[in-house]
Amino acid sequence: MKARITVTLKPSVLDPQGKAIEGALHALEVPGIKGVRQGKVFDIDMDDMAADAATTTLKAAAEKLLANLIVETYRIELV
Amino acid sequence: MKARITVTLKPSVLDPQGKAIEGALHALEVPGIKGVRQGKVFDIDMDDMAADAATTTLKAAAEKLLANLIVETYRIELV
């Protein structure tokens, strides 16, 4: 089965990388951009298991390794 | 309005960073992981405009700056 974990900065945390991208898009004259925030996405291929068990596994993966819970939040999707 | 652009490596392209994450998850004894591929996500805040115009703008942003079309693909979602 496939799953996706999306890790994004908490809204209160500054994102200088996103700011730089926003500036670059303005310089490239892409219109109408008011803000950009960058995050990470992890596409995970895993053994078939019940949705409950898969969510528990992915939660462990996110909290032990993929997300820094001090400044980031994560979202799990089973696909 | 808000939009999200997700940039992922093409399936044929090796992803050493994903491999390293997979190895780390095995070392942390997270069970059942068969593969990991890492991508990027850009959460974009933009002026209100018609969905067509927004998609055109986001396509320009992705192709000019956010994605390297030689090795990556992108997906646009309006949210």
Side-chain angles (χ1 to χ4, degrees):
Chain A
M1 64 190 294
K2 305 269 187 187
R4 169 169 280 188
I5 299 178
T6 309
V7 176
T8 50
L9 282 173
K10 289 183 182 173
S12 58
V13 177
L14 284 177
D15 179 7
Q17 196 171 3
K19 271 281 166 211
I21 292 165
E22 188 187 336
L25 288 173
H26 287 304
L28 289 167
E29 297 180 359
V30 177
I33 304 293
K34 290 200 290 194
V36 179
R37 291 180 72 82
Q38 184 171 358
K40 288 172 282 187
V41 64
F42 302 94
D43 286 317
I44 297 175
D45 187 18
M46 56 197 300
D47 294 336
D48 284 326
M49 58 180 87
D52 275 12
T55 303
T56 307
T57 298
L58 294 166
K59 208 162 175 294
E63 297 190 356
K64 286 184 185 173
L65 185 69
L66 303 177
N68 173 356
L69 298 182
I70 298 169
V71 291
E72 294 171 328
T73 55
Y74 66 90
R75 197 159 60 90
I76 290 169
E77 292 160 278
L78 301 176
V79 285
Chain B
M1 64 190 294
K2 305 267 187 189
R4 169 168 280 187
I5 298 177
T6 309
V7 176
T8 49
L9 282 173
K10 288 183 182 173
S12 57
V13 177
L14 284 176
D15 180 6
Q17 197 172 1
K19 273 280 165 209
I21 292 166
E22 188 187 334
L25 288 173
H26 286 303
L28 289 167
E29 295 179 1
V30 177
I33 305 292
K34 290 199 291 193
V36 179
R37 291 179 74 82
Q38 185 171 359
K40 289 173 284 188
V41 64
F42 302 93
D43 287 318
I44 297 175
D45 187 19
M46 56 198 299
D47 294 336
D48 284 325
M49 57 179 88
D52 274 12
T55 304
T56 305
T57 297
L58 294 166
K59 208 164 174 292
E63 298 190 356
K64 285 185 186 172
L65 185 69
L66 303 177
N68 173 356
L69 297 182
I70 298 169
V71 292
E72 294 171 329
T73 55
Y74 67 89
R75 198 158 60 91
I76 291 169
E77 292 159 278
L78 301 175
V79 285

